[in-house]
Amino acid sequence: MAAQTDRGVPLSTLSPKFLHTNSTSHTWPFSAIAELIDNAYDPDVSAKQFWIDKTVVKGEVCLSFMDNGNGLNHKTLHKMLSFGYSDKTAVNGLEPIGIYGNGFKSGSMRLGKDTIVFSKSKRISCIGMLSQTYLEKIGAKQIIIPIISFENKTSNRNIL
């Protein structure tokens, strides 16, 4: 597979093996959990509550982290799942924690091989996946981040 180029210059790519390598910056799981909690309390997220839950799905233990923050659209979810990218700035004098563009990826990959992000704002819902299992299964040579988004429609019925 040829590398993407910008004006004839090859762009940098990341090997799927980097997901594991990067996760080793957390020497124990609680620092990874703290990283995920910190992200929810950045001033642009404005989460007031945060929940952590453990469940078993098809025999696999799954952790879920949920907050009641502002949510992400397709563009901001892509930035969050990309490496080394952050355009966070202070809001009302409060400095954000997530300014290096690495914490979510290193933290989530320290806790497991796969992460799925469900995000809902007033207008848009998005689902993004960062998955070592998927990348291994397809024999990916670089990290691929599938994201889908859809517009929230108002209706009188509840969707489960």
Side-chain angles (χ1 to χ4, degrees):
M1 174 177 174
Q4 284 185 317
T5 62
D6 183 22
R7 299 182 192 159
V9 177
L11 299 177
S12 177
T13 61
L14 283 174
S15 166
K17 293 176 183 175
F18 181 75
L19 293 174
H20 170 71
T21 303
N22 188 47
S23 75
T24 62
S25 64
H26 295 282
T27 56
W28 65 321
F30 293 110
S31 68
I33 291 169
E35 187 73 61
L36 300 176
I37 293 170
D38 282 347
N39 285 344
Y41 291 107
D42 267 349
D44 62 328
V45 177
S46 299
K48 302 291 184 240
Q49 295 175 303
F50 189 86
W51 301 269
I52 301 174
D53 194 19
K54 180 188 120 186
T55 189
V56 177
V57 177
K58 295 185 179 182
E60 296 289 330
V61 175
C62 298
L63 293 174
S64 65
F65 298 83
M66 187 167 49
D67 66 58
N68 63 348
N70 294 327
L72 304 166
N73 61 30
H74 189 280
K75 185 177 179 179
T76 54
L77 180 58
H78 181 258
K79 288 177 182 178
M80 187 202 63
L81 292 173
S82 296
F83 287 84
Y85 186 89
S86 177
D87 57 3
K88 291 183 177 260
T89 58
V91 175
N92 296 327
L94 298 172
E95 292 293 328
I97 294 169
I99 59 171
Y100 300 108
N102 190 50
F104 176 82
K105 282 76 65 178
S106 64
S108 62
M109 293 294 105
R110 171 61 173 91
L111 298 172
K113 290 184 71 172
D114 309 300
T115 186
I116 300 175
V117 178
F118 297 91
S119 185
K120 181 180 179 190
S121 63
K122 290 181 181 176
R123 289 189 41 245
I124 303 290
S125 292
C126 297
I127 303 168
M129 181 174 73
L130 188 59
S131 171
Q132 294 179 63
T133 305
Y134 168 71
L135 296 171
E136 289 167 6
K137 191 88 146 173
I138 67 169
K141 302 292 183 219
Q142 60 189 19
I143 295 174
I144 300 166
I145 305 168
I147 299 173
I148 59 169
S149 57
F150 47 95
E151 188 175 346
N152 298 329
K153 301 280 184 184
T154 331
S155 95
N156 293 329
R157 60 176 199 238
N158 291 328
I159 300 174
L160 300 177

